[in-house]
Amino acid sequence: MIQRSIFREYDIRGIFEKELNEQSVKLIGYYLGERIRGNKVVAIGYDARLHSPILRDYLTSGLNAAGCTVLDMGMVATPVNYFCNYNTIDGYTSDASVMITGSHNPSEYNGLKITIDQVPFFGEQIYALREEIIKYQGQKIEDDTNRVKIDAKTPYINYMIKEFSHLKGLDKKIVIDCGNGVADTVITDIFDALELDYRGLYCEPDGRFPNHHPDPSVEKNLKAVKKALKEEGDIAFAYDGDADRIAVLTHTHHIKGDQMALLFAMQMENPTVIGEVKCSQVMYDELKRRGAEAIMHKTGHSNLKVKMKETGADLACEVSGHIFFKHRYFGYDDAIYATLRMLELIFMGIDPDQEIDALPQVFSTEEIKVETTEEEKFLIIDKIKTLLLNPPEDFPVILDIIDVDGVRIHFEHGWGLVRASNTTPVLVTRFESTDKTLVKTYETQVNALIQKAKDSL
């Protein structure tokens, strides 16, 4: 029985063998292949997980059954997979790409990130694919692993070396933590060619992730890189399992995605920048103060890429470290490219610490997750919207409500957010204020509203 739960908002994700198995992945390949037009050329890459090559073979069989030509780039970073959608590789131009990756999830998980015609395949498209696969889940697809091996890493590496040749010999000590993911399928080759002074931690790809979990948004996973930075570095970078997400560390700051966006926008003249609903209000206000256009949009890498294409935006970000460059690049999230752009800022004489210290001070929580169920999470959000039409008497004064993704409530001195996760059965909350005591007030009041909404279901 094929599990409906593996078909998520942004990608397809599940536990190897239990959910992502021969039958489900072959059918995904076949019915996905039916949707690909043009010459039906599909580029496949995979991450360091031990079962990724097995899923590659299942997916290849399904795509071949649908009449596709499968290009196999082997183990690569997700940005290298995306790169194939915009560049001719070994004489082939791709109509689609699939990255087999569990990203930052535990080692028993895996998944598929899909791009067709340079646009993410997500949301209703994934759900429609799910319904067709479930309808025909008894269909058998024969093994057919015929594929064309391509070298996608070399043109990617050469592109970066050419674009950032001015960084050659940069006089900074750099620390990188690859977390035993796939960042070092390319990054040290680029650094070596640019003659950068760096120390690499856990660079060897190992899908068991023996040293720490490959999620740089979680502070405990940064212990080793922080220690190395303190001992012998000027700046440090850490990556998730598939290298599309980055953490940037200095001796005084863990620079979050929205802060990175402010730094990167300094290189651009009157840019359009898209942020997610979890981004600090400081980012939106500061961008507008500088003459940029700032757009708030839904969380999720697929949502932001589509919005960038729609608006022609130069840059987009998520707090978690997904950074999307259209300015001088292709418009997708690439932690390797973001690393080089950050080093470029330093090369230009910009001090990240000084710039961040100059920003208005705010106090904010990390993401706080409230457990619920898949069935109830969106109903709770709808109920909260109704309750906010007539809030409790002691509720903080509301200046504005933004409902592009959940509910972001703007108060006199800050904001609170409640949104339903698109990938797990939780509500995600976050709170920010210019007054430290008000952060807790906003959290307490909004949590009471959440509980009232839950009790009414």
Side-chain angles (χ1 to χ4, degrees):
M1 180 69 69
I2 292 176
Q3 301 294 314
R4 302 176 69 90
S5 60
I6 66 174
F7 298 90
R8 311 293 183 93
E9 174 77 9
Y10 317 128
D11 52 32
I12 298 170
R13 191 184 312 163
I15 297 172
F16 174 65
E17 287 189 327
K18 180 182 177 182
E19 296 166 328
L20 288 178
N21 50 41
E22 180 176 1
Q23 182 66 359
S24 63
V25 177
K26 280 183 173 180
L27 288 175
I28 289 167
Y30 177 76
Y31 286 103
L32 179 65
E34 290 285 290
R35 286 162 167 74
I36 297 169
R37 302 295 175 234
N39 295 315
K40 297 173 78 75
V41 178
V42 186
I44 298 178
Y46 56 83
D47 71 9
R49 291 159 200 269
L50 304 184
H51 34 76
S52 289
I54 300 171
L55 296 182
R56 182 269 318 270
D57 288 348
Y58 295 157
L59 185 68
T60 298
S61 295
L63 289 167
N64 280 332
C68 297
T69 297
V70 177
L71 309 179
D72 178 11
M73 61 185 76
M75 185 190 297
V76 295
T78 288
V80 176
N81 180 268
Y82 292 155
F83 186 81
C84 287
N85 292 288
Y86 298 86
N87 296 274
T88 299
I89 309 293
D90 291 347
Y92 288 92
T93 301
S94 300
D95 300 297
S97 74
V98 182
M99 181 66 189
I100 300 169
T101 177
S103 187
H104 61 282
N105 288 288
S107 58
E108 66 269 23
Y109 280 82
N110 218 315
L112 308 172
K113 293 180 178 178
I114 303 164
T115 305
I116 299 179
D117 292 332
Q118 300 180 354
V119 178
F121 184 86
F122 78 114
E124 293 304 319
Q125 295 169 305
I126 286 182
Y127 300 143
L129 179 70
R130 173 191 66 193
E131 296 310 309
E132 189 166 19
I133 288 170
I134 288 175
K135 183 178 180 180
Y136 297 107
Q137 61 183 296
Q139 180 180 348
K140 298 298 180 184
I141 294 174
E142 298 297 321
D143 290 339
D144 181 358
T145 58
N146 183 49
R147 55 188 182 266
V148 179
K149 290 187 178 181
I150 60 169
D151 176 11
K153 290 185 289 188
T154 298
Y156 177 90
I157 291 167
N158 290 340
Y159 179 95
M160 297 302 173
I161 293 169
K162 181 180 178 181
E163 288 295 306
F164 295 96
S165 59
H166 50 288
L167 298 182
K168 197 165 188 178
L170 179 68
D171 186 22
K172 292 292 178 182
K173 294 184 181 297
I174 304 161
V175 180
I176 56 172
D177 183 349
C178 299
N180 296 115
V182 290
D184 194 31
T185 54
V186 290
I187 194 168
T188 59
D189 287 333
I190 297 167
F191 276 19
D192 288 342
L194 294 176
E195 299 176 8
L196 299 178
D197 182 1
Y198 70 94
R199 175 184 171 187
L201 303 178
Y202 315 133
C203 291
E204 182 68 26
D206 185 340
R208 297 166 297 181
F209 308 120
N211 293 290
H212 64 73
H213 195 59
D215 185 351
S217 66
V218 177
E219 288 294 327
K220 69 179 181 180
N221 298 328
L222 300 173
K223 288 181 180 177
V225 73
K226 285 182 176 180
K227 182 174 183 291
L229 173 62
K230 184 177 181 180
E231 291 172 350
E232 54 180 314
D234 297 313
I235 191 166
F237 303 93
Y239 307 96
D240 69 343
D242 63 329
D244 60 2
R245 193 151 54 84
I246 186 175
V248 180
L249 302 159
T250 70
H251 286 282
T252 54
H253 292 289
H254 176 180
I255 304 175
K256 300 298 178 69
D258 46 3
Q259 295 172 325
M260 286 186 233
L262 281 172
L263 293 171
F264 290 132
M266 295 175 70
Q267 296 176 303
M268 308 170 195
E269 186 175 352
N270 300 323
T272 297
V273 181
I274 301 172
E276 55 157 339
V277 291
K278 290 181 288 185
C279 289
S280 171
Q281 191 61 36
V282 171
M283 185 197 80
Y284 294 106
D285 293 346
E286 184 66 17
L287 284 168
K288 291 175 183 176
R289 188 188 69 78
R290 297 179 190 176
E293 181 181 359
I295 300 171
M296 188 182 295
H297 195 53
K298 296 179 180 180
T299 294
H301 68 93
S302 298
N303 289 318
L304 291 174
K305 277 182 269 198
V306 169
K307 191 67 173 178
M308 286 185 79
K309 205 173 186 74
E310 174 191 316
T311 60
D314 304 280
L315 181 70
C317 72
E318 287 189 311
V319 176
S320 62
H322 285 280
I323 308 294
F324 311 73
F325 286 92
K326 182 62 176 175
H327 180 259
R328 292 169 41 199
Y329 203 47
F330 301 107
Y332 55 76
D333 40 340
D334 183 339
I336 310 300
Y337 184 80
T339 299
L340 295 165
R341 290 288 290 253
M342 185 62 69
L343 293 175
E344 186 177 63
L345 284 174
I346 293 168
F347 170 82
M348 293 166 60
I350 294 170
D351 182 338
D353 287 331
Q354 186 177 341
E355 296 297 330
I356 291 170
D357 288 340
L359 295 173
Q361 186 178 27
V362 292
F363 304 91
S364 59
T365 67
E366 297 295 328
E367 289 186 22
I368 304 169
K369 295 179 179 178
V370 180
E371 291 188 8
T372 180
T373 65
E374 287 290 340
E375 295 75 22
E376 291 190 351
K377 61 184 182 182
F378 291 108
L379 296 175
I380 293 171
I381 296 296
D382 289 339
K383 186 63 179 177
I384 289 172
K385 291 178 182 179
T386 301
L387 291 171
L388 285 170
L389 295 174
N390 186 25
E393 286 188 8
D394 62 342
F395 201 75
V397 174
I398 299 171
L399 300 183
D400 191 19
I401 294 175
I402 298 171
D403 61 0
V404 67
D405 184 5
V407 185
R408 178 164 163 149
I409 312 161
H410 282 226
F411 305 113
E412 290 181 291
H413 303 289
W415 55 272
L417 171 72
V418 187
R419 62 176 292 273
S421 168
N422 283 308
T423 55
T424 54
V426 300
L427 300 176
V428 177
T429 67
R430 193 174 188 226
F431 305 91
E432 178 181 281
S433 176
T434 53
D435 183 328
K436 192 173 184 178
T437 60
L438 284 178
V439 175
K440 191 63 182 178
T441 300
Y442 295 156
E443 181 181 347
T444 300
Q445 292 281 5
V446 171
N447 280 341
L449 209 64
I450 293 171
Q451 189 59 52
K452 189 173 182 180
K454 292 174 75 172
D455 292 343
S456 69
L457 295 180

